[in-house]
């Protein structure tokens, strides 16, 4: 219900070896497929480039050759901040292997430029820490990334409420990625609807 209320066209899904296995796994995939949204496999929970590459190769097999993926390589389990060196290493391997890589990264404009130069199809800087709901802490860095980028820039992580989504769009982002703000809301369906309206308002503004 929340996915439908949000109006999203893409749902990002964390994959593990057991994701497609067993009755629970099959029920989950059936539910996702019934929503009519595009699935974007991601590497949430991976801490090395090798683990991330292996996970996305698994996803490609599971999803019949699907190449559009979200790469994230985490630096530590407390902040879930990206490990930039491992992210760059994984991106290089995946792009060479024919993947279309949307990449989670820090809000460092130099790193964003490097990832685009590698061939990533979208750059996804954090607004603040994953799951924190603190919103866009450094709009100036986001502006620098947006000014130089020739690929879509999406805010990934830290969006806490609809006004954060609106600000991201007003800055010029192509979209926002969100989970915790909706998943942990008292009324997830209502929050999802609010996020949709926030994105629409920000884009119009």
């Amino acid at each position: 219900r929340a996915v439908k209320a949000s109006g999203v066209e893409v749902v990002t899904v964390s994959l593990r070896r057991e994701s497609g296995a067993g009755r629970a796994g099959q029920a989950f995939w059936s539910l996702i497929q019934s929503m009519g949204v595009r699935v974007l496999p991601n590497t949430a929970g991976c801490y090395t480039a090798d683990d991330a590459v292996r996970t996305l190769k698994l996803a490609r097999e599971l999803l019949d050759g699907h190449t559009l993926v979200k790469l994230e390589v985490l630096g530590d389990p407390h902040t879930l901040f990206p490990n930039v060196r491992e992210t760059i290493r994984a991106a290089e391997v995946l792009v060479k292997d024919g993947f279309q890589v949307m990449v989670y990264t820090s809000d460092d404009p130099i790193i964003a430029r490097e990832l685009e130069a590698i061939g990533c199809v979208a750059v996804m800087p954090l607004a603040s820490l994953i799951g924190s709901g603190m919103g866009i802490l450094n709009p100036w860095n986001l502006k620098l990334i947006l000014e130089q980028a020739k690929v879509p820039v999406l805010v990934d992580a830290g969006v806490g409420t609809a006004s954060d989504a609106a600000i991201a769009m007003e800055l010029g982002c192509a979209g926002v990625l969100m989970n915790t703000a909706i998943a942990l809301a008292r009324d997830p369906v209502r929050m999802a609807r609010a996020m949709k309206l926030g994105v629409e308002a920000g884009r119009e503004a």
Side-chain angles (χ1 to χ4, degrees):
R1 286 173 60 208
V3 167
K4 286 179 180 175
S6 71
V8 297
E9 296 175 5
V10 180
V11 171
T12 182
V13 178
S14 174
L15 292 180
R16 289 292 172 274
R17 292 186 189 282
E18 67 274 11
S19 293
R23 191 173 297 169
Q26 289 305 317
F28 173 77
W29 284 112
S30 296
L31 177 63
I32 292 292
Q33 288 167 346
S34 73
M35 293 178 188
V37 294
R38 187 170 189 173
V39 174
L40 180 67
N42 76 50
T43 59
C46 292
Y47 289 88
T48 67
D50 291 342
D51 194 16
V53 168
R54 190 164 45 245
T55 298
L56 291 178
K57 285 184 176 180
L58 182 70
R60 185 166 59 184
E61 290 178 24
L62 182 66
L63 298 173
D64 300 322
H66 187 94
T67 58
L68 182 66
V69 295
K70 182 194 168 195
L71 170 64
E72 58 181 88
V73 185
L74 303 177
D76 77 87
H78 176 61
T79 64
L80 303 181
F81 208 78
N83 182 327
V84 172
R85 281 183 293 191
E86 290 292 289
T87 298
I88 288 172
R89 196 160 72 86
E92 288 172 335
V93 173
L94 290 165
V95 169
K96 283 178 184 172
D97 197 20
F99 284 91
Q100 296 174 283
V101 180
M102 301 173 68
V103 59
Y104 166 64
T105 183
S106 66
D107 61 357
D108 182 332
I110 307 304
I111 297 300
R113 190 169 64 202
E114 232 176 286
L115 289 164
E116 182 177 341
I118 287 168
C120 293
V121 299
V123 176
M124 306 175 73
L126 51 77
S128 51
L129 299 183
I130 291 176
S132 69
M134 292 190 293
I136 299 172
L137 296 184
N138 195 339
W140 311 113
N141 275 26
L142 273 183
K143 280 184 178 181
L144 290 171
I145 292 171
L146 285 157
E147 284 170 5
Q148 70 184 11
K150 294 181 176 62
V151 297
V153 176
L154 293 85
V155 161
D156 182 357
V159 173
T161 190
S163 56
D164 299 328
I167 290 168
M169 302 309 293
E170 286 175 2
L171 287 169
C173 291
V176 292
L177 185 141
M178 56 188 71
N179 173 33
T180 307
I182 293 172
L184 298 186
R186 283 193 291 264
D187 186 337
V189 177
R190 196 172 173 192
M191 179 60 95
R193 195 175 301 115
M195 291 296 194
K196 175 185 178 181
L197 295 171
V199 167
E200 288 175 353
R203 181 173 282 138
E204 287 297 305

